[in-house]
Amino acid sequence: MERQTVGVVGLGLMGASLCKALRRAGHTLLGADADGHVLQYALLTDTVEKELTEENAGTCDFLFLALYPGAAVETLKKLAPRLRRDTIVCDLCGVKRSVCPPCFALA
């Protein structure tokens, strides 16, 4: 598989684990977290290569939302205008009823 650029919002247990696996597979990882200390730790430990920002979100081939449902929807509302039409977005939320309908409207 060719090297892909992957954005991950939420660098807790699930998000950071995903980043580590994808980095081992050779992909470029951009990460964001509401807690600046968590983001800095992810950068220092090479879990992600760069911070994911609104400005570079358009470079992502994939975007994973490892957040609580409400935060996932709000984050996608903010980033959707910046994403390419072919970017694949995936949430890691455990519930879908509060996430899928509002996110489908953004697709």
Side-chain angles (χ1 to χ4, degrees), residues 32-103:
D33 197 277
D35 185 331
H37 293 100
V38 172
L39 175 60
Q40 288 305 312
Y41 183 78
L43 290 163
L44 287 170
T45 59
D46 205 32
T47 301
V48 298
E49 293 178 52
K50 294 181 186 175
E51 180 178 5
L52 173 65
T53 65
E54 288 185 40
E55 290 72 32
N56 66 13
T59 66
C60 292
D61 298 299
F62 296 89
L63 177 65
F64 289 92
L65 303 171
L67 303 166
Y68 289 112
V73 172
E74 291 307 311
T75 298
L76 187 56
K77 283 180 182 177
K78 185 170 73 171
L79 293 179
R82 309 269 188 166
L83 298 175
R84 299 188 323 252
R85 300 252 337 129
D86 64 340
T87 299
I88 296 171
V89 178
C90 179
D91 74 90
L92 302 182
C93 301
V95 295
K96 300 301 178 197
R97 286 188 185 160
S98 60
V99 175
C100 291
C103 289

Side-chain angles (χ1 to χ4, degrees), residues 1-4 18-29:
M1 176 182 251
E2 67 182 65
R3 185 177 174 101
Q4 302 286 321
L18 178 64
C19 288
K20 290 176 183 179
L22 292 171
R23 289 278 288 146
R24 279 194 301 272
H27 300 293
T28 301
L29 268 291

